[in-house]
Amino acid sequence: MHEIDWTGGMLNLSYFLGLVSKHDANDLAPALRSLTRKEQLEIVWKLSPPERLLELQLTQEKLDHWVDIAGSLIECGKDYNPSSSVSVVDVFYAIPLKGSKSDWLNNQLKPWSGFSRGEPTYTDVPGQHYTLMDFDHVPQFQKIFRSRLEARGL
């Protein structure tokens, strides 16, 4: 798993939430790392669209808390070693945060087939990793997801 520090996590989350652009998230990290968390949050806050902050009912304190939660989830995953298997795996994938879609599929997702007793499926879905559940993509994703459930008799 890639090492993500607090600054990287805060910028990724800010990007996911539509507070900063992908360009800003990538370019700000080196300059922000020497600053305190509070100073980093203030800079991102100033770059954030006010209407988006209002829509999310977000405060700097809440964003700080969400960054801590996301960081905790990353920490949980670092030592996770899957074992055993399930009857079948259905994987839905979109454009990843980094790298190409084919690299993500072949090198990150397909190895999970070792935990499937049946033939796994890999379904390309619209959007990017962080926009998969946006309003623009939910209707199409819902149709795809429902078709996979029906194919499994669920």
Side-chain angles (χ1 to χ4, degrees):
M1 180 172 289
H2 298 292
E3 294 297 319
I4 298 177
D5 63 5
W6 188 90
T7 300
M10 185 268 299
L11 289 169
N12 279 337
L13 183 60
S14 297
Y15 171 50
F16 287 165
L17 294 173
L19 304 180
V20 298
S21 69
K22 185 172 188 172
H23 180 265
D24 286 341
N26 291 333
D27 289 353
L28 284 171
L32 292 182
R33 283 197 171 90
S34 64
L35 303 176
T36 67
R37 285 170 64 149
K38 186 176 185 330
E39 291 168 329
Q40 291 180 47
L41 288 166
E42 287 171 357
I43 289 171
V44 167
W45 201 256
K46 288 176 184 170
L47 293 171
S48 301
E51 63 278 1
R52 184 67 175 147
L53 295 171
L54 206 63
E55 179 182 16
L56 295 171
Q57 298 180 356
L58 201 58
T59 63
Q60 287 185 37
E61 293 77 21
K62 287 180 182 178
L63 178 58
D64 187 31
H65 186 69
W66 276 109
V67 174
D68 286 341
I69 292 169
S72 294
L73 292 172
I74 290 168
E75 286 299 315
C76 289
K78 283 183 180 178
D79 294 327
Y80 177 68
N81 291 309
S83 60
S84 195
S85 64
V86 295
S87 61
V88 70
V89 174
D90 288 294
V91 178
F92 300 88
Y93 67 99
I95 298 168
L97 262 178
K98 294 184 179 184
S100 70
K101 197 181 243 190
S102 63
D103 179 59
W104 181 249
L105 173 64
N106 294 314
N107 298 316
Q108 299 296 321
L109 299 177
K110 285 198 174 176
W112 285 89
S113 66
F115 300 99
S116 181
R117 294 186 297 273
E119 188 64 32
T121 64
Y122 300 91
T123 305
D124 187 350
V125 295
Q128 296 184 14
H129 176 76
Y130 68 97
T131 65
L132 185 58
M133 293 296 163
D134 280 1
F135 289 115
D136 294 340
H137 303 297
V138 167
Q140 192 172 0
F141 180 78
Q142 189 260 351
K143 288 177 186 174
I144 293 167
F145 187 70
R146 184 170 296 199
S147 73
R148 292 304 315 140
L149 289 174
E150 289 172 1
R152 296 282 181 212
L154 301 173

